[in-house]
Amino acid sequence: MTTGPTREVLLRMGSALLAGGTPVPDVERQVTVLGRSLGAPGARAAATPTGLFVGLSASDGIGFEPVSGTLRFEQVTRVQDVYERLMRGATTVPVAIGELDAIEAMPSSRPAWASDLAMVAIGTGICAILQPTWRDLVTAAASSLLVAALVVLSRRITVIRTLLPLLASFAVAVLVLLVAQHWPLEGTLRTMIASFAVLLPGSMIVTGMSEIASGAAVAGSSRLVSGVMQLVLFAVGLFAAVSVTGEHLSALTNVRAQDLGPLAPYIGVAVIGCGIVVNVAASRAAIPWIFVVLALTFATQSIVQAAAGLILGALAGAAVAGFAANLVPRFSGRPLRLVVFLPAFWLLVPGSLGLLSTAELATGQAGFDAATLAIGSVVAVAAGTLIGSSAGRALDRLLDPAQRRVAELGDVADVERL
């Protein structure tokens, strides 16, 4: 084993996994197991959301690799493919490093304007779930287009990028409140949230909760603090919009209307799926599996929520998403677990994370019940994700002895890290 290239490939692989949205405990486990597979039994890793430390033994020097930007889904799929081939010994370390360089530099298979316009589909689809009326759908589409324009500007102007949550919530709230003055909307708050839900830090907060539960307290706490600060910026934008338009906080109404029939939410899920596939540039191999996991997640969440309440619906939906995503690689023959899980995870955010309750709490319209609902929903999705993923991995180990051996390596690595 050559120490330099081995450490480099572990650092590059871990950084790519973090850039693709993999939680910190999973990155540490995968990097450590890969190091053992490459002939470094003392390999150890410590990750944060912004970088990765790797050492090959207790006496070896520690290397650090920062996370630069994020990866599109088509890139994440290829990174996972390189990881799997390294684990099987089907490729060499120098070749893998070259492939990771090529993955980082690869251009998007979709034009940038298409990815940005996909936000309109996502916002409209979410509105079809939260507030399925023609008026709200049209307003949400126009508001989502405004959000997409701000996202484009944020890539070029630093101030807009820093204040994007505040500016997006302010612009959307002003537009929705002005429309409501001339074209009555049933629930303005629902339409607003649907329009900028693509920017809300719900997944960041839930990932932070999951990381804390998995023992990665530093990484989880940093995500939680960042997510809460973003929510504060969204709330400030709402307050400012109410003041500018001359309205009162009572104008932010949370009333659900249903004018489009019972199939509207399911059509909304399909529209959300199409928007996500384009927005994150998912590979063709992943697209059908993304829709399968989305459908299973939403159906489970809807059924359980109707029977047992929002929190249990969130728990069940997250558990099914985690379980199904862990079984997809076995049926597809491709390492698509993370790629098919994240869209389903994002779908849970507007439907169950208590975003409406959080917004009402921030605007002073709700009290203890709303706070309990919001916190309970976050905890439920985090717990469901852990339960489903653990069950899926356990079943995969029973079906494949090779996976059982990898799991044993990971368990030993986790014990040594702790």
Side-chain angles (χ1 to χ4, degrees):
M1 178 192 71
T2 305
T3 301
T6 301
R7 184 195 298 135
E8 181 180 357
V9 77
L10 294 179
L11 286 168
R12 296 291 303 281
M13 180 62 69
S15 176
L17 291 172
L18 287 169
T22 307
V24 162
D26 290 349
V27 171
E28 292 176 341
R29 182 182 64 84
Q30 287 184 260
V31 169
T32 306
V33 171
L34 178 60
R36 291 172 174 269
S37 177
L38 295 176
R44 58 199 63 200
T48 71
T50 58
L52 177 76
F53 295 90
V54 170
L56 300 184
S57 67
S59 59
D60 182 55
I62 302 297
F64 176 75
E65 183 75 17
V67 177
S68 54
T70 59
L71 296 183
R72 302 180 304 276
F73 273 23
E74 58 187 346
Q75 294 172 298
V76 174
T77 301
R78 297 196 181 195
V79 169
Q80 291 286 358
D81 184 61
V82 173
Y83 179 88
E84 294 293 332
R85 286 189 285 114
L86 275 172
M87 287 294 297
R88 298 195 310 266
T91 189
T92 62
V93 168
V95 171
I97 293 174
E99 290 183 350
L100 291 174
D101 287 333
I103 292 170
E104 184 177 351
M106 69 179 289
S108 175
S109 60
R110 281 119 173 140
W113 61 264
S115 297
D116 295 329
L117 285 179
M119 295 182 189
V120 178
I122 296 173
T124 306
I126 292 174
C127 186
I129 296 174
L130 293 180
Q131 190 73 342
T133 74
W134 285 116
R135 293 179 180 179
D136 290 283
L137 287 178
V138 172
T139 306
S143 301
S144 298
L145 186 61
L146 186 58
V147 171
L150 287 172
V151 170
V152 172
L153 290 175
S154 70
R155 300 195 192 105
R156 305 174 183 177
I157 304 175
T158 303
V159 174
I160 294 180
R161 181 166 60 250
T162 303
L163 298 177
L164 183 59
L166 187 153
L167 294 175
S169 64
F170 174 77
V172 167
V174 167
L175 178 59
V176 172
L177 290 175
L178 290 177
V179 169
Q181 291 176 358
H182 302 90
W183 198 24
L185 301 176
E186 296 292 338
T188 55
L189 189 57
R190 287 174 172 264
T191 307
M192 293 174 191
I193 287 178
S195 302
F196 55 69
V198 69
L199 300 179
L200 285 166
S203 59
M204 180 186 297
I205 292 173
V206 174
T207 300
M209 293 285 293
S210 299
E211 289 174 339
I212 291 174
S214 300
V218 174
S221 299
S222 66
R223 289 193 203 269
L224 280 177
V225 171
S226 178
V228 169
M229 288 307 301
Q230 288 189 40
L231 284 179
V232 170
L233 290 176
F234 278 110
V236 170
L238 292 177
F239 288 140
V242 170
S243 177
V244 166
T245 56
E247 298 282 359
H248 299 284
L249 289 178
S250 58
L252 302 177
T253 54
N254 178 18
V255 179
R256 191 177 193 277
Q258 173 63 280
D259 294 347
L260 302 181
L263 293 180
Y266 296 93
I267 296 174
V269 172
V271 173
I272 291 172
C274 293
I276 289 176
V277 164
V278 175
N279 181 254
V280 300
S283 63
R284 292 183 179 179
I287 291 175
W289 295 103
I290 287 175
F291 279 96
V292 167
V293 177
L294 274 175
L296 288 173
T297 301
F298 184 71
T300 302
Q301 181 187 8
S302 300
I303 293 171
V304 176
Q305 184 171 311
L310 187 146
I311 292 179
L312 288 180
L315 176 68
V320 168
F323 183 78
N326 274 277
L327 294 183
V328 163
R330 173 163 297 279
F331 293 103
S332 66
R334 300 289 300 277
L336 301 175
R337 184 188 69 83
L338 186 65
V339 171
V340 300
F341 173 70
L342 288 178
F345 184 73
W346 296 334
L347 177 66
L348 291 166
V349 172
S352 67
L353 287 193
L355 293 178
L356 294 171
S357 300
T358 302
E360 287 184 306
L361 187 65
T363 55
Q365 297 185 45
F368 180 75
D369 289 343
T372 303
L373 184 62
I375 295 172
S377 299
V378 171
V379 173
V381 173
T385 299
L386 293 174
I387 293 170
S389 298
S390 299
R393 283 196 293 264
L395 180 59
D396 203 33
R397 293 171 196 166
L398 290 175
L399 298 175
D400 188 352
Q403 288 293 330
R404 190 180 305 121
R405 178 180 176 275
V406 169
E408 291 169 354
L409 287 174
D411 293 340
V412 172
D414 288 341
V415 170
E416 290 187 356
R417 178 173 61 81
L418 294 172

